[in-house]
Amino acid sequence: MKPEARFRGFLALWAGFLVAQAAWPPSTWDGFQGLATPPGETGRLFVVEKTGRIVVITNLARPTRTVFANLTTNLLTSGEQGLLGLAFHPRYAENRRLFVFRTLNTGPDGVRQPHNVLTEFRASDSNPNALDPASEIRLFAQHDEASNHNGGDLHFGPDGLLYVAVGDEGGGNDSYNNGQRIDRDLFAGLLRIDVDRRPGSLLPNRNLANPAQAWMITTNYSIPADNPFVGARSFNGLAVNPANVRTEFFAVGLRNPWRFSFDPATGDLWVADVGQDRWEMIFLSRAGANHGWPFREGRVAGPRSGAPAGFLTNAAFNHVPPVHVYAHGSGNDRGNSITGGRVYRGGRITALHGAYVYADYVNGNVWALRRDASGAGAVERLGGLSNVAGFGVDPSNGDLLAIQLNAGRVQRLVASPNSADPAIPPTLQATGAFRDPASLEVSGAFLPYEVNLPFWSDHAHKRRWVHLPPGRRVETDPDQAWRAPAGTVWMKHFEREMEPGVPTSRRRLETRFLVQRAQGVYGVTYRWTSPSEAVLVPDEGATEVLRVREGGGERDQTWRYPSRTECLACHNPAAGGTLSFNTRQLDLERTLADGTRVHQVRALAAAGYLDDRHGAGSSRPTFRESGTEASLEWKVRRYLDVNCGFCHRPGGPGGGLWDGRAGTPTDLAGLLGGAVITDGGVAGGRVLLPGDRPRSVLLDRMTRTDGRRMPPFEHGEPDPEGVALVAAWIDALPGRPGFEAWLATRGIPPAGSIADPSADHDGDGDPDLLEFLAGTEPTDRASRWNPRLEQVDGRPRLRVRVPANTALELQVSDRLDGATWTDAWTPESTTPRFPATDRDVSIDLPGDGSAPVFLRLGLRRP
């Protein structure tokens, strides 16, 4: 068998997961958040989208998709905000009532602020697959000062009452002191309310002297008389005023209960609580339970453990510890953000019957927890699936469904081979990827490629190859990850100099494969055990201690061979699966084995590997600038894109509070003074604070070697060059002007008004924002940005002055009427970039001057 054929066979043999994609069309869906089905129905499934839509899937045998509701008005979607929960009334077939939980920018008297809002709607009288927007009734609104820890899951319990999960309001270490309060706001617990206002239920406590609370709390629901804190005069042994007690509480002491559910067979209430820095937790909750946050995190002391002595054993505390915890970190038994699941009561996977199935959003692990007669739990890993935001049930057959927040997919749990399938070749040689592993001579199935800016991998030297299925092409995109066809394989090889600076001391460590499937990617790793062979790393990964000669002595370095779910944490759907297969990384000149110098993107396109939808290049700044050519800000933004942007982006596992992608302008990226999900012990910390290294949490996380290091996988050692780069930028930031501050130094706009980027205060035709970017004066008509066109040897040439830290964007068209503008890009011209200094740029334009060419020019900052 030829190596190429043997290798292609390997691709087809491994399924790898316990989950497979359900057959529902995902193409235009956005941010899957939850699943729900009206009680008693078997033919419809409702999908909650984070960005505000509820989509109904009908006729599950041959699914069709309809937008049931569009609730985007005033919806906040940054970070963990959005449309978060949906529940149907137990008698929905009779009354058409449903309930949603979302974060809205709303408030009384036109004063808009972020609020967590629980609302009732009804389905349309005339169309069962549409919401009646006029039926909205607000139950409560809770002002929320942070974008994270909102909870939002909704379920009706076996008692017919509505249960609502609410987080601790956000920040870190219980920043807003909500974790152990029942007499103030609706945070940090589970609520239980009566939406039918049954006889005997009570009105919620309302402080009518406080207009804000009077607006937030309505009488559109009532309190079950047996709620545990009704009439309470003490809490945790301390006196409280019963008139102020939020009697909605059913259980308290939760940090961010991201998904809870009832066992349909037993009624058990399972709650998954996202931990802070160390532990993720699963609770079996009950009335009046105090799950401990922030006194406890899991089974250990929490960030505010200075509670009254003996509180854990104090009956007044009513502490209910978790039934299971797992630690933060890498591996098959660890993770960083739990997604609560469901108890499986379907009939098609006997081995899972009665097990609680849950996942980790960041690591991608999917587990099953079973409890024995004593209550002790045993956990089994089922497989890996990234970005799982919730679980649901197929109403037609009881199958468990998992939703991926960013991938637009509903995954079905099926009894398929697990990831230890013996069909995976046990050795690197058996894959057929190398003709000769000893010399690293690859088979003809692979093509080598290089990247502009490698990801930091603990001092490793790396080589890269790609395999494409015969006759298939990669769909390119100038700004996003390229879309590779199923069957594409990327291979990356790692070596480490055991004595830095001595090439002959290099040791082979591992060779990884990333395989593109129709439903995402998977990865496998081979660990080199000799100069000529590497063996398959176990599914859970492996760790080795390397002995490195350094500074005249020796030291230990821990090297992590990633598990398959660790691969998925970085290669997640929001990042497009691959991390370096994009224009910014591949736009470079490289030397082939025969000494020929080629432009890599054009060479790939000419060889038939790429489409040519954007001319195999882009006028966008690439990552190939180096040394003193690029500005300090652009160097940092490139570095953050490569090392952080795969998680820290909208919809990514990083929480969405800041955006590491280089294409997002710094002033819009949440970097400068941006909030953090947890400060990790950095008092007053923000993402980056100009001139303040100690309180810049991003820098702190880059330098750590404990469980709070970033990125949480791959790295065991800080990147000295990256740390120095970010630190230098922090020091330089106080002198970085913003647009509004720049205008203010020139006396515009008038006091009390808002800066308008499109305003032209000197009437010279250049808007103020262009003047800011070009470095001209917005109050001087003679000061203008002045690109020039000229003829050189019969060809048109553009000359333009580009200020420091500013990129030139150029588009061309052959006509103005109905023009199609394309990015202008030629390998012979100077690639646009963010320069460290002002510079004059000359660009030869397409055409010979015989036909008109129309240009659009622009400037932008990183």
Side-chain angles (χ1 to χ4, degrees):
M1 181 181 291
K2 295 181 179 180
E4 292 88 341
R6 185 165 68 246
F7 182 74
R8 285 197 294 271
F10 153 57
L11 297 181
L13 286 173
W14 186 56
F17 301 103
L18 187 75
V19 290
Q21 185 177 16
W24 298 318
S27 58
T28 59
W29 296 7
D30 188 10
F32 281 16
Q33 193 84 293
L35 298 173
T37 294
E41 292 196 14
T42 59
R44 291 196 299 174
L45 183 71
F46 289 75
V47 182
V48 176
E49 296 182 356
K50 181 179 187 290
T51 50
R53 295 186 305 182
I54 300 173
V55 175
V56 57
I57 306 300
T58 56
N59 186 17
L60 299 184
R62 300 185 65 181
T64 58
R65 168 189 172 276
T66 303
V67 175
F68 177 78
N70 188 325
L71 302 177
T72 56
T73 302
N74 295 327
L75 187 73
L76 300 170
T77 58
S78 66
E80 297 170 14
Q81 298 172 325
L83 179 57
L84 304 178
L86 166 68
F88 293 93
H89 193 279
R91 298 192 307 278
Y92 179 79
E94 305 167 21
N95 58 33
R96 308 187 319 282
R97 299 170 67 192
L98 62 142
F99 300 82
V100 297
F101 189 102
R102 52 196 162 146
T103 47
L104 294 178
N105 191 29
T106 186
D109 304 322
V111 178
R112 298 189 179 277
Q113 293 177 308
H115 285 78
N116 298 325
V117 180
L118 179 65
T119 306
E120 175 183 336
F121 286 97
R122 292 177 186 258
S124 167
D125 288 335
S126 58
N127 183 358
N129 292 322
L131 187 80
D132 177 4
S135 66
E136 181 173 7
I137 300 173
R138 179 168 49 83
L139 278 69
F140 68 71
Q142 173 61 63
H143 177 49
D144 192 334
E145 296 189 55
S147 66
N148 60 327
H149 301 184
N150 302 302
D153 208 9
L154 303 177
H155 294 278
F156 280 89
D159 52 11
L161 299 169
L162 181 61
Y163 290 72
V164 185
V166 287
D168 70 359
E169 193 172 9
N173 299 311
D174 192 23
S175 301
Y176 301 99
N177 300 306
N178 293 314
Q180 294 293 326
R181 293 291 299 268
I182 64 168
D183 58 348
R184 190 171 58 184
D185 298 318
L186 297 177
F187 289 117
L190 290 179
L191 314 179
R192 178 181 183 244
I193 63 175
D194 176 9
V195 298
D196 296 316
R197 292 178 284 182
R198 303 171 182 175
S201 290
L202 310 171
L203 289 176
N205 285 333
R206 304 173 73 207
N207 181 2
L208 298 180
N210 182 342
Q213 193 175 94
W215 175 81
M216 290 191 291
I217 306 167
T218 73
T219 58
N220 294 325
Y221 68 96
S222 57
I223 306 297
D226 61 349
N227 265 13
F229 299 106
V230 169
R233 296 183 178 275
S234 65
F235 179 69
N236 290 345
L238 301 176
V240 293
N241 182 347
N244 294 335
V245 169
R246 304 308 302 270
T247 50
E248 293 90 341
F249 278 115
F250 180 79
V252 297
L254 293 168
R255 180 178 181 268
N256 187 23
W258 185 245
R259 302 306 177 209
F260 72 96
S261 62
F262 291 94
D263 182 341
T266 66
D268 288 342
L269 174 53
W270 293 82
V271 182
D273 196 21
V274 179
Q276 180 147 305
D277 293 322
R278 292 178 290 175
W279 297 97
E280 302 297 302
M281 298 147 281
I282 298 174
F283 297 97
L284 274 173
S285 195
R286 61 173 185 257
N290 191 325
H291 296 300
W293 177 257
F295 296 160
R296 309 289 287 173
E297 182 181 357
R299 298 187 178 117
V300 302
R304 298 192 181 183
S305 56
F311 74 95
L312 282 179
T313 57
N314 188 336
F317 183 63
N318 196 20
H319 183 227
V320 176
V323 295
H324 177 67
V325 299
Y326 63 87
H328 282 197
S330 305
N332 281 7
D333 60 346
R334 295 175 176 247
N336 289 271
S337 180
I338 191 170
T339 296
R342 301 289 185 101
V343 174
Y344 179 70
R345 296 295 179 185
R348 304 211 298 176
I349 309 178
T350 304
L352 275 186
H353 187 75
Y356 176 71
V357 179
Y358 62 103
D360 190 272
Y361 178 79
V362 176
N363 267 27
N365 285 314
V366 180
W367 297 283
L369 170 64
R370 296 175 176 84
R371 301 176 71 235
D372 59 25
S374 68
V379 173
E380 174 190 1
R381 182 178 178 276
L382 302 179
L385 187 66
S386 61
N387 296 159
V388 175
F391 289 85
V393 176
D394 184 334
S396 67
N397 58 21
D399 283 355
L400 272 183
L401 306 173
I403 52 174
Q404 291 179 284
L405 176 63
N406 307 308
R409 297 192 186 106
V410 178
Q411 303 274 9
R412 181 188 303 275
L413 271 71
V414 296
S416 65
N418 63 33
S419 56
D421 193 316
I424 303 175
T427 65
L428 182 61
Q429 187 166 357
T431 68
F434 289 95
R435 285 197 178 98
D436 179 14
S439 64
L440 293 184
E441 180 188 356
V442 297
S443 79
F446 280 92
L447 185 73
Y449 71 96
E450 298 175 5
V451 298
N452 279 310
L453 186 62
F455 179 76
W456 167 252
S457 298
D458 287 0
H459 307 284
H461 296 266
K462 292 173 282 189
R463 296 176 63 183
R464 299 166 180 82
W465 300 266
V466 63
H467 161 79
L468 278 171
R472 301 297 302 278
R473 292 187 178 190
V474 174
E475 295 181 18
T476 59
D477 188 295
D479 297 306
Q480 308 297 331
W482 292 354
R483 291 171 291 278
T488 302
V489 181
W490 296 268
M491 181 168 62
K492 185 158 60 172
H493 176 74
F494 294 72
E495 297 183 355
R496 169 74 158 102
E497 290 180 352
M498 306 312 292
E499 185 173 354
V502 180
T504 57
S505 71
R506 282 194 184 185
R507 176 190 155 187
R508 294 180 180 178
L509 295 173
E510 61 178 284
T511 299
R512 300 179 189 172
F513 294 92
L514 186 74
V515 182
Q516 180 71 55
R517 302 185 305 163
Q519 297 88 31
V521 298
Y522 71 81
V524 291
T525 300
Y526 290 86
R527 174 180 178 177
W528 286 85
T529 55
S530 74
S532 60
E533 188 56 284
V535 299
L536 180 67
V537 170
D539 186 24
E540 65 271 16
T543 301
E544 180 182 2
V545 177
L546 308 177
R547 196 70 173 167
V548 180
R549 297 181 295 278
E550 198 169 79
E554 293 186 337
R555 70 175 182 88
D556 291 338
Q557 175 185 340
T558 300
W559 184 267
R560 175 68 182 170
Y561 299 92
S563 70
R564 292 173 197 155
T565 54
E566 286 173 55
C567 295
L568 297 178
C570 296
H571 295 277
N572 61 73
T578 62
L579 303 184
S580 63
F581 225 61
N582 55 60
T583 302
R584 287 190 173 100
Q585 282 284 39
L586 300 184
D587 182 5
L588 54 82
E589 302 280 338
R590 63 183 299 261
T591 302
L592 302 181
D594 61 3
T596 305
R597 191 76 174 164
V598 300
H599 185 275
Q600 183 167 253
V601 176
R602 286 193 160 244
L604 288 170
Y609 287 98
L610 311 179
D611 66 14
D612 57 358
R613 290 183 304 113
H614 70 296
S618 170
S619 67
R620 275 74 164 176
T622 75
F623 288 167
R624 67 170 159 172
E625 295 93 342
S626 61
T628 59
E629 294 180 352
S631 69
L632 177 60
E633 182 171 342
W634 180 235
K635 290 178 183 177
V636 172
R637 294 306 310 279
R638 287 183 302 161
Y639 182 87
L640 296 181
D641 183 291
V642 172
N643 290 275
C644 311
F646 49 85
C647 280
H648 290 279
R649 60 171 57 213
L657 289 186
W658 63 277
D659 191 345
R661 296 174 302 169
T664 302
T666 300
D667 292 317
L668 302 178
L671 280 164
L672 307 185
V676 292
I677 293 177
T678 174
D679 58 23
V682 179
R686 306 303 257 180
V687 179
L688 291 174
L689 280 174
D692 193 338
R693 293 190 190 185
R695 291 195 297 149
S696 293
V697 173
L698 189 152
L699 182 65
D700 175 73
R701 302 293 287 273
M702 289 176 63
T703 59
R704 305 188 77 97
T705 57
D706 59 14
R708 290 200 293 269
R709 73 180 182 272
M710 279 291 170
F713 314 104
E714 186 87 26
H715 293 353
E717 301 199 349
D719 176 7
E721 294 184 6
V723 169
L725 185 66
V726 173
W729 192 45
I730 292 171
D731 294 341
L733 280 173
R736 179 187 184 276
F739 174 57
E740 293 188 357
W742 177 82
L743 283 178
T745 63
R746 289 150 175 81
I748 51 178
S753 62
I754 299 175
D756 179 4
S758 64
D760 181 6
H761 280 84
D762 58 9
D764 63 359
D766 289 350
D768 289 350
L769 180 59
L770 178 59
E771 304 247 25
F772 167 68
L773 296 172
T776 56
E777 286 298 324
T779 56
D780 182 358
R781 292 175 60 89
S783 178
R784 297 192 64 191
W785 188 46
N786 191 25
R788 305 183 308 279
L789 275 176
E790 56 188 41
Q791 290 281 339
V792 178
D793 297 329
R795 294 176 60 87
R797 176 174 292 175
L798 173 70
R799 294 189 183 274
V800 60
R801 184 74 169 171
V802 181
N805 198 34
T806 305
L808 173 69
E809 293 186 332
L810 173 64
Q811 294 181 318
V812 298
S813 178
D814 58 0
R815 65 186 193 277
L816 286 178
D817 183 22
T820 299
W821 296 93
T822 59
D823 296 323
W825 178 90
T826 57
E828 296 80 17
S829 66
T830 302
T831 303
R833 67 191 70 189
F834 298 102
T837 59
D838 297 353
R839 65 187 180 127
D840 291 308
V841 175
S842 297
I843 300 178
D844 290 327
L845 299 174
D848 57 5
S850 60
V853 175
F854 300 95
L855 307 177
R856 290 201 306 195
L857 285 83
L859 297 171
R860 69 182 180 92
R861 293 278 177 88

